[in-house]
Amino acid sequence: MTPSAILESALYVTDLTAAEAFYRDIIGLDPLGKVEGRHVFFRCGDGVLLLFNAEATKIPPAPDARLKVPPHGTAGEGHLCFATTAEEIVAWRKHLAANNIAIESDFEWPQGGHSIYIRDPSGNSIEFAEPRIWGF
């Protein structure tokens, strides 16, 4: 058995309100769901980006909970990469500059393909890259 795709990717954030605004207003993702103080979810192509307050997700579900999602969470800066074309990276540079978002790194990979990196409000490393960096 081999999974066909990644359905969800999770990042843990320190300020859900700032993260929600960033991923909605700067990154342009469509919100899917929200539980105040715990999480906010966004659609991204055929997948879902889950943003969690790590402290809230460490709490086990109540014995009578309808959704028995086990505790999870992490501390520190995570990483997520959005797939883009070379032309979109040019547009992202302009969009990020217009919104006062600093590009932390901007380079061409030895195997081909370009990446730019920024930080979200919680310090997570967010990359925009051409899929060809992985041979796709």
Side-chain angles (χ1 to χ4, degrees), residues 7 27 29-30 32 42-49 80-83:
L7 179 62
I27 304 301
L29 299 180
D30 294 324
L32 278 178
F42 291 93
R43 178 178 307 283
C44 183
D46 290 334
V48 178
L49 173 59
L80 182 74
C81 180
F82 293 107

Side-chain angles (χ1 to χ4, degrees), residues 1 11 22 39 41 60 65 83 125-126 131:
M1 295 294 301
L11 289 174
F22 178 82
H39 67 253
F41 299 159
S125 176
I126 306 302

Side-chain angles (χ1 to χ4, degrees), residues 73-121:
T74 189
E77 300 164 344
H79 173 70
L80 182 74
C81 180
F82 293 107
T84 67
T85 65
E87 295 79 18
E88 289 169 336
I89 288 176
V90 171
W92 275 110
R93 276 193 203 99
K94 292 176 185 172
H95 176 71
L96 295 166
N99 286 280
N100 298 313
I101 308 292
I103 293 176
E104 183 176 34
S105 189
D106 183 339
F107 62 92
E108 190 80 22
W109 288 90
Q111 69 274 24
H114 205 96
S115 285
I116 60 174
Y117 290 79
I118 63 172
R119 294 284 170 171
D120 77 3

Side-chain angles (χ1 to χ4, degrees), residues 43-58:
R43 178 178 307 283
C44 183
D46 290 334
V48 178
L49 173 59
L50 311 172
L51 301 179
F52 288 109
N53 170 346
E55 292 305 311
T57 62
K58 291 177 183 177

Side-chain angles (χ1 to χ4, degrees), residues 14-45:
T14 54
D15 183 334
L16 274 173
T17 302
E20 179 179 12
F22 178 82
Y23 286 95
R24 182 191 61 228
D25 302 339
I26 304 298
I27 304 301
L29 299 180
D30 294 324
L32 278 178
K34 178 179 176 178
V35 170
E36 202 66 45
R38 185 180 189 281
H39 67 253
V40 60
F41 299 159
F42 291 93
R43 178 178 307 283
C44 183

